[in-house]
């Protein structure tokens, strides 16, 4: 079965490759399909095995329920909870198709294939029942799509016509069908994919360019990419035109001019758009769009990413010159962002052959992606906090259906796709040092390594007939090329580095082995903003310290909308360890532990209880609090800094203790989690702070939970201007303003909660402008507990 699948996949992918070969941006280095690679014993193989268990633990009928409802058919089971029944119904079904497709290709697991076939057969039943190619789980989707077709478009960053990002939702279905066809070889998925594209083409055919661009303000995943993929599969140029129509110019235009306008933008909304720009560029030879995609990658990787390869805080790009929020927030890099950055990296590598793309790919896979699956329970991670002493939350198969569960299902099925690459039959590239077996035509290549316990890798060649080709090992950024040693069948060979690779050319016979040592050393890597915060790496691996298992509230997520956030206590920053000394000798604080590979001791810390900490690979640190970055400060400045941190922390703790619920305005997820409704509104950012306001006659509202506590006031942080006023109502009752003060350049307004509503479970709080004025820019809304009378 594996041989048949591999042959089919090669033929299917060739259809895409032919288009690329005709383009002006040709593929220089071709990666192997995952069906050609099998992982062997390692942490990556363990993650793959856990992912199989997770995939098979999900009930497909519950994932299919939104699609059946959308087709007017009777579901066989109820929707799953969480995001799957609160507006994003059906989005995980698309991710599930992709994950099953990659996992089947990567392992040949027959249970996975049976699950994939069942999903496709039921989805085809839905599409057939629709009659026009439609296949979607968006609640009330038919009515909403009809409005779009008529040109009635009401778009904002996280909504479209009163639905939660329906274009983003349906993109997952497109991607799942594409992957079922191209990756797993499911022929019927091809027809379903094209029919769904035809449905969208018909839906949007009557829209003007202005209407299309207005609609694309709503998060829409990588729809431009999938329509370009339909073009590559069919050869029909109309689909490439459709891909252009779904390309968001507000993001593309600054990139074409090499302008970084990413600060404040929702990160994972933008990355899939850029993947689409790159895909279109490759197919039509558009060098300007290719350059824009490369500029975006450079900007994010070099100026907006941390050592684990992740980016963003609270899902948004923070200022590239200020990583403060990265070090203080419980909502650090989002897994979906890195998933998509890896997809973009693969595309850029294939058309350039530049090994620096693989340096980032390796860093992100080893340190972020591998760290986002619990090696004990198998759950997936949404946010990886960099706040000292904080922790992560893990998904559960029956409760958690976040975006990062969807991409998480895929991540651990895709480890094999970038380990090797080739140029025809003449050159084999070894890019990642992961134990695995590659089937390259009639040649079998086994990579045997105890990496990272050993600083080397060995390839064993198996071939019935001797064959001449060149093996090219990537020279990673973290190794000392002058100390590398190369041998073939135990005999030393000269080491020559060219274009980031060490090449060995010979006529390879059965049983030949080639070995390359890859010396590793310690590095201290600061944040891109230049602040004195250091992460320690040994070779490609980010090191971290465990800091106990205490107070990990919600460690294993429930089905609540915000269950992916680690809401347990944030330990005071002034109590967290800092390195005391001079940045010039930061590595002198670290010593290797003899007899324990990849284990180190870190000293020179304050306070005394952290006199020494153990460092180990971050990807192996789970179900605990941890530390990845250490601030460094001189002994002279330590006291003043600790006092300032203590004051700020005391104020923060007091505010959080009195807060029952809160919304960060203008940020997609917090507002979605609080079921925002609005009319005539605007959003924006100001010094990395998001805000929302309503124009004349406009309003917006949130649903705030009292969580069993008694609510006393609604606290609003805003900036008032001369033409602004604010009317607040709670459950339809006008709220009276009881206080106002200035704080940090903003006004803090408090409105009393009527006594008869103080104990209500959920309060709908509405913010409206007057007939003549706009609302102020509202940054944050908090529901505060009733103050105890002294």
């Amino acid at each position: 079965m594996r041989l048949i699948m591999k042959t089919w996949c090669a033929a299917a992918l060739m259809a895409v490759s032919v288009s690329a070969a005709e383009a002006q941006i040709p593929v220089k280095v071709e990666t192997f399909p995952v069906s050609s690679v099998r992982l062997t014993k390692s942490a990556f193989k363990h993650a793959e095995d856990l992912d199989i268990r997770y995939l098979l633990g999900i009930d497909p009928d519950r994932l299919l329920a939104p699609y059946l409802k959308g087709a007017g058919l009777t579901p066989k089971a109820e929707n799953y909870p969480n995001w799957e029944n609160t507006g994003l119904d059906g989005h995980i079904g698309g991710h599930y198709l992709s994950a099953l497709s990659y996992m089947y290709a990567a392992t040949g697991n027959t249970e996975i294939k049976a699950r994939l076939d069942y999903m496709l057969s039921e989805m085809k039943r839905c599409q057939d029942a629709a009659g026009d190619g439609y296949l979607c789980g968006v609640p009330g989707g038919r009515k909403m799509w009809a409005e779009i077709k008529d040109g009635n478009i009401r778009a904002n960053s996280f909504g479209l016509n009163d639905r939660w990002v329906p274009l983003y939702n349906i993109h997952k279905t497109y991607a799942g069908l594409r992957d079922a066809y191209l990756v797993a070889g499911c022929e019927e998925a091809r027809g379903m994919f094209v029919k769904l594209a035809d449905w969208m083409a018909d839906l949007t055919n009557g829209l003007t360019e202005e209407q299309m661009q207005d609609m694309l303000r709503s998060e829409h995943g990588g729809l431009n990419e999938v329509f370009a993929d339909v073009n590559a599969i069919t050869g029909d140029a109309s689909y490439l035109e459709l891909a252009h129509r779904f390309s968001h110019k507000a993001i593309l235009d600054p990139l074409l001019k090499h302008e970084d306008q990413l600060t404040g933008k929702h990160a994972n909304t933008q990355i899939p758009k850029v993947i689409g720009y790159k895909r279109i560029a490759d197919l039509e030879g558009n060098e300007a769009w290719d350059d824009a995609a490369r500029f975006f990658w450079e900007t994010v990787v070099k100026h907006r990413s941390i050592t684990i390869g992740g980016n963003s805080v609270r899902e948004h790009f923070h200022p590239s010159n200020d990583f403060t929020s990265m070090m203080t927030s419980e909502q650090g890099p989002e897994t979906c962002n890195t998933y998509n950055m890896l997809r973009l990296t693969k595309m850029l590598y294939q058309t350039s052959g530049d090994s620096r793309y693989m340096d980032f790919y390796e860093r992100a896979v080893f340190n972020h992606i591998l760290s986002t699956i619990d090696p004990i329970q198998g759950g997936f991670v949404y946010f990886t906090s960099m706040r000292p002493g904080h922790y992560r939350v893990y998904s559960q198969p029956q409760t958690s259906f976040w975006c990062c569960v969807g991409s998480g299902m895929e991540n651990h099925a895709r480890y094999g796709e970038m380990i090797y690459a080739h140029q025809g039959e003449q050159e084999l590239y070894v890019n990642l040092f992961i134990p695995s077996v590659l089937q390259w035509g009639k040649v079998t290549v086994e990579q045997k390594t105890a990496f990272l316990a050993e600083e080397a890798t060995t390839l064993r060649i198996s071939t019935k007939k001797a064959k001449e080709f060149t093996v090219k090992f990537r020279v990673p950024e973290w190794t000392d090329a002058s100390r590398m040693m190369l041998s073939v069948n135990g005999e030393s060979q000269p080491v020559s580095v060219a274009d980031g690779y060490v090449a060995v050319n010979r006529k390879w016979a059965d049983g030949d082995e080639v070995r390359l040592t890859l010396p590793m050393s310690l590095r201290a890597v600061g944040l891109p903003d230049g602040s004195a915060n250091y992460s320690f790496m040994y070779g490609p691996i980010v090191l971290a310290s465990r800091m106990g298992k205490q107070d990990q509230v919600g460690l294993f997520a429930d089905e609540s909308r915000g269950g992916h956030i680690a809401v347990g206590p944030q330990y005071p920053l002034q109590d967290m360890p800092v390195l005391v000394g001079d940045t010039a000798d930061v590595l002198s604080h670290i010593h290797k532990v003899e007899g324990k590979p990849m284990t180190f001791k870190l000293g020179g810390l304050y306070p005394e209880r952290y006199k020494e900490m153990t460092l180990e690979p971050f990807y192996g640190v789970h179900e605990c609090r941890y530390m990845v970055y250490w601030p460094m400060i001189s002994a002279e400045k330590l006291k003043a800094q600790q006092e300032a941190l203590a004051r700020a922390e005391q104020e923060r703790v007091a505010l959080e203790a009195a807060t029952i619920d809160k919304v960060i305005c203008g940020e997609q997820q917090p507002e979605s989690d609080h079921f925002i409704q609005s009319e005539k509104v605007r959003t924006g950012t100001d010094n990395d702070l998001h805000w929302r306001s309503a124009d004349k006659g406009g309003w917006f509202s949130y649903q705030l939970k009292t969580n069993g506590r008694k609510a006393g006031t609604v606290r609003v942080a805003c900036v008032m201007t001369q033409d602004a006023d604010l009317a607040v109502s709670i459950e339809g009752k006008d709220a009276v303003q009881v206080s106002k003060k200035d704080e940090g350049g903003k006004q803090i307004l408090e409105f009393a909660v009527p006594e008869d509503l103080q104990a209500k479970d959920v309060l709908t709080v509405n913010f409206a402008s007057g007939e003549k004025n706009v609302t102020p820019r509202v940054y944050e809304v908090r529901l505060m507990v009733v103050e105890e009378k002294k």
Side-chain angles (χ1 to χ4, degrees):
M1 180 178 291
R2 178 186 173 193
L3 179 60
I4 294 172
M5 180 179 66
K6 281 171 57 184
T7 303
W8 191 96
C9 285
L13 288 168
M14 189 176 295
V16 180
S17 299
V18 167
S19 282
E22 295 170 351
Q24 297 174 25
I25 305 178
V27 171
K28 290 185 178 180
V29 180
E30 189 173 354
T31 57
F32 288 94
V34 292
S35 54
S36 296
V37 180
R38 292 290 183 265
L39 303 183
T40 55
K41 187 176 180 180
S42 68
F44 294 97
K45 175 59 176 170
H46 180 61
E48 181 184 76
D49 291 342
L50 287 174
D51 195 14
I52 291 174
R53 187 176 74 181
Y54 201 101
L55 290 170
L56 294 177
I58 289 176
D59 182 349
D61 286 324
R62 297 191 73 180
L63 288 184
L64 288 162
Y67 292 94
L68 290 163
K69 292 176 184 177
L73 302 175
T74 303
K76 298 178 181 180
E78 287 300 313
N79 288 35
Y80 267 119
N82 195 241
W83 293 13
E84 277 292 306
N85 71 354
T86 55
L88 267 183
D89 312 33
H91 80 295
I92 291 294
H95 275 297
Y96 194 58
L97 279 183
S98 293
L100 292 170
S101 299
Y102 273 95
M103 190 61 80
Y104 173 56
T107 65
N109 185 294
T110 55
E111 287 185 87
I112 292 290
K113 181 58 162 61
R115 185 66 61 86
L116 175 60
D117 289 342
Y118 179 73
M119 287 287 295
L120 285 172
S121 66
E122 286 294 284
M123 293 175 88
K124 187 175 188 303
R125 188 162 69 92
C126 294
Q127 193 176 50
D128 290 345
D132 59 356
Y134 180 66
L135 180 63
C136 186
V138 173
R142 280 295 197 181
K143 177 179 180 294
M144 182 212 67
W145 297 119
E147 292 176 347
I148 299 297
K149 187 170 185 177
D150 289 341
N152 177 7
I153 296 169
R154 305 185 303 278
N156 58 60
S157 61
F158 52 84
L160 180 63
N161 288 49
D162 308 318
R163 301 295 188 277
W164 186 7
V165 289
L167 292 172
Y168 167 92
N169 189 335
I170 201 170
H171 166 254
K172 308 310 167 196
T173 304
Y174 280 109
L177 293 173
R178 174 200 61 198
D179 294 340
Y181 171 60
L182 289 179
V183 178
C186 299
E187 181 64 34
E188 68 177 349
R190 182 188 189 277
M192 296 169 68
F193 184 39
V194 175
K195 285 180 181 178
L196 189 56
D198 289 340
W199 169 84
M200 183 65 82
D202 176 71
L203 182 85
T204 58
N205 184 53
L207 300 182
T208 66
E209 177 67 8
E210 183 180 7
Q211 288 173 318
M212 288 293 296
Q213 291 300 312
D214 180 38
M215 182 174 68
L216 295 180
R217 291 189 298 118
S218 177
E219 185 177 10
H220 54 273
L223 283 174
N224 54 352
E225 180 204 9
V226 295
F227 296 137
D229 288 334
V230 181
N231 163 257
I233 290 169
T234 65
D236 188 332
S238 68
Y239 296 113
L240 197 56
E241 294 174 10
L242 185 63
H244 269 274
R245 282 171 60 78
F246 272 89
S247 292
H248 193 200
K249 301 305 191 319
I251 299 302
L252 174 62
D253 289 347
L255 296 177
L256 289 169
K257 294 182 285 188
H258 283 207
E259 294 177 358
D260 178 0
Q261 296 184 9
L262 298 178
T263 297
K265 288 183 170 59
H266 187 255
N268 198 48
T269 294
Q270 318 315 325
I271 305 170
K273 297 175 188 177
V274 179
I275 292 172
Y277 305 152
K278 173 60 176 167
R279 185 71 173 117
I280 292 168
D282 288 349
L283 290 174
E284 67 182 17
N286 191 325
E287 294 184 1
W289 283 33
D290 177 66
D291 181 66
R294 185 166 53 250
F295 172 73
F296 176 88
W297 187 93
E298 296 273 356
T299 298
V300 174
V301 170
K302 292 184 176 181
H303 306 297
R304 296 181 176 277
S305 299
I306 58 174
T307 51
I308 65 169
N311 63 73
S312 82
V313 174
R314 302 183 66 89
E315 303 188 2
H316 292 74
F317 287 123
H318 54 75
S320 59
N321 62 355
D322 186 359
F323 275 63
T324 301
S325 59
M326 181 70 76
M327 295 296 101
T328 58
S329 178
E330 80 284 10
Q331 299 177 43
E334 179 185 354
T335 303
C336 281
N337 297 13
T338 302
Y339 159 87
N340 277 311
M341 283 301 296
L342 290 177
R343 296 191 64 239
L344 178 60
T345 302
K346 176 182 177 181
M347 298 169 78
L348 290 165
Y349 172 71
Q350 287 177 308
T351 56
S352 70
D354 191 334
S355 65
R356 70 195 176 114
Y357 290 114
M358 289 308 309
D359 285 332
F360 170 75
Y361 197 99
E362 176 185 58
R363 181 156 55 96
V365 165
F366 273 79
N367 298 298
H368 195 189
I369 298 302
L370 186 57
S371 77
T372 58
I373 187 169
D374 185 339
I376 303 167
Q377 310 291 337
F380 305 120
V381 171
Y382 195 120
F383 292 122
T384 299
S385 176
M386 289 295 109
R387 182 184 173 92
H390 212 60
Y391 66 101
R392 292 161 291 179
V393 167
Y394 302 94
S395 70
Q396 300 299 288
Q398 307 306 316
T399 67
S400 314
F401 295 90
W402 330 308
C403 54
C404 294
V405 167
S407 58
M409 293 176 180
E410 297 182 43
N411 280 330
H412 311 287
R414 300 179 67 154
Y415 287 128
E417 68 178 345
M418 292 292 281
I419 299 174
Y420 308 99
H422 65 102
Q423 285 187 340
E425 296 184 0
Q426 290 74 46
E427 294 185 337
L428 174 66
Y429 291 78
V430 182
N431 280 318
L432 298 175
F433 311 113
I434 296 175
S436 53
V437 177
L438 166 69
Q439 193 64 46
W440 184 28
K442 295 181 180 180
V443 176
T444 302
V445 179
E446 180 182 7
Q447 185 170 184
K448 300 185 295 182
T449 178
F451 190 80
L452 303 153
E454 67 169 339
E455 300 177 12
T457 192
T458 301
L459 296 188
R460 179 180 175 83
I461 311 297
S462 297
T463 177
K464 291 182 179 179
K465 184 178 180 181
K467 180 179 175 63
E468 183 177 355
F469 58 89
T470 301
V471 174
K472 302 180 81 170
F473 291 96
R474 179 176 64 92
V475 179
E477 61 179 349
W478 43 263
T479 198
D480 181 352
S482 68
R483 294 170 50 216
M484 293 191 306
M485 293 184 292
L486 179 70
S487 65
V488 175
N489 297 329
E491 295 185 7
S492 180
Q493 305 290 318
V495 177
S496 178
V497 178
D499 298 324
Y501 288 89
V502 169
V504 186
N505 176 264
R506 63 184 275 122
K507 192 169 187 177
W508 299 91
D510 189 52
D512 279 352
E513 290 191 350
V514 53
R515 179 177 176 83
L516 180 70
T517 63
L518 296 157
M520 293 191 281
S521 59
L522 274 169
R523 291 180 291 160
V525 183
L527 289 170
D529 66 356
S531 61
N533 292 277
Y534 291 95
S535 177
F536 301 109
M537 300 184 72
Y538 190 72
I541 300 302
V542 172
L543 304 173
S545 286
R546 299 173 187 266
M547 298 185 72
K549 293 179 174 288
Q550 64 278 16
D551 300 326
Q552 295 181 86
V553 178
L555 179 65
F556 303 112
D558 58 20
E559 62 187 49
S560 65
R561 279 285 290 266
H564 57 290
I565 302 172
V567 296
Q570 296 181 14
Y571 291 170
L573 292 177
Q574 72 272 16
D575 294 341
M576 293 296 100
V578 296
L579 276 164
V580 181
D582 193 301
T583 56
D585 63 353
V586 63
L587 288 178
S588 67
H589 295 267
I590 305 176
H591 304 283
K592 197 168 186 178
V593 177
E594 294 300 323
K596 292 186 177 181
M598 301 301 296
T599 304
F600 303 82
K601 292 292 184 182
L602 173 64
L605 298 165
Y606 173 90
E608 276 296 310
R609 64 177 176 278
Y610 295 113
K611 187 174 182 180
E612 188 174 71
M613 301 177 76
T614 299
L615 300 177
E616 60 183 292
F618 178 57
Y619 71 74
V621 174
H622 284 277
E623 297 187 15
C624 66
R625 292 177 177 265
Y626 57 84
M627 193 160 180
V628 175
Y629 275 89
W630 282 261
M632 189 161 198
I633 191 168
S634 67
E636 295 78 19
K637 296 180 180 179
L638 178 61
K639 183 178 179 181
Q641 184 198 60
Q642 293 302 103
E643 289 176 350
L645 284 172
R647 286 192 299 271
E649 191 68 12
Q650 186 177 20
E651 293 173 2
R652 184 194 68 82
V653 169
L655 179 60
E656 293 298 332
T659 299
I660 302 173
D661 197 2
K662 69 178 177 180
V663 184
I664 306 299
C665 302
E667 288 193 2
Q668 176 173 329
Q669 207 52 58
E671 291 196 321
S672 295
D673 288 345
H674 290 86
F675 301 95
I676 182 174
Q677 299 290 321
S678 64
E679 283 187 12
K680 298 181 181 178
V681 294
R682 290 173 293 142
T683 60
T685 58
D686 178 21
N687 294 325
D688 196 28
L689 296 175
H690 289 77
W691 53 263
R692 176 174 292 281
S693 68
D695 293 331
K696 294 178 182 179
W699 60 272
F700 55 96
S701 69
Y702 304 112
Q703 294 181 21
L704 300 176
K705 294 181 179 180
T706 56
N707 297 313
R709 303 171 74 184
K710 198 172 181 180
T713 60
V714 172
R715 182 183 189 271
V716 181
C718 61
V719 171
M720 298 291 294
T721 57
Q722 286 186 344
D723 61 344
D725 67 0
L726 183 63
V728 176
S729 63
I730 303 172
E731 290 293 306
K733 294 185 177 184
D734 291 341
V736 177
Q737 182 176 320
V738 293
S739 71
K740 176 182 178 180
K741 65 178 179 179
D742 292 330
E743 184 179 286
K746 293 189 290 291
Q747 288 73 53
I748 306 299
L749 314 179
E750 292 208 54
F751 296 83
V753 176
E755 287 191 22
D756 60 331
L757 298 176
Q758 290 180 347
K760 200 171 186 293
D761 290 340
V762 178
L763 297 175
T764 298
V765 182
N766 189 86
F767 304 88
S769 67
E771 288 301 319
K772 297 182 179 180
N773 296 320
V774 299
T775 68
R777 291 180 175 182
V778 180
Y779 294 84
E780 180 183 81
V781 176
R782 291 175 180 258
L783 189 61
M784 309 300 290
V785 71
V786 171
E787 289 188 11
E788 295 183 5
K789 294 182 179 180
K790 298 181 180 179

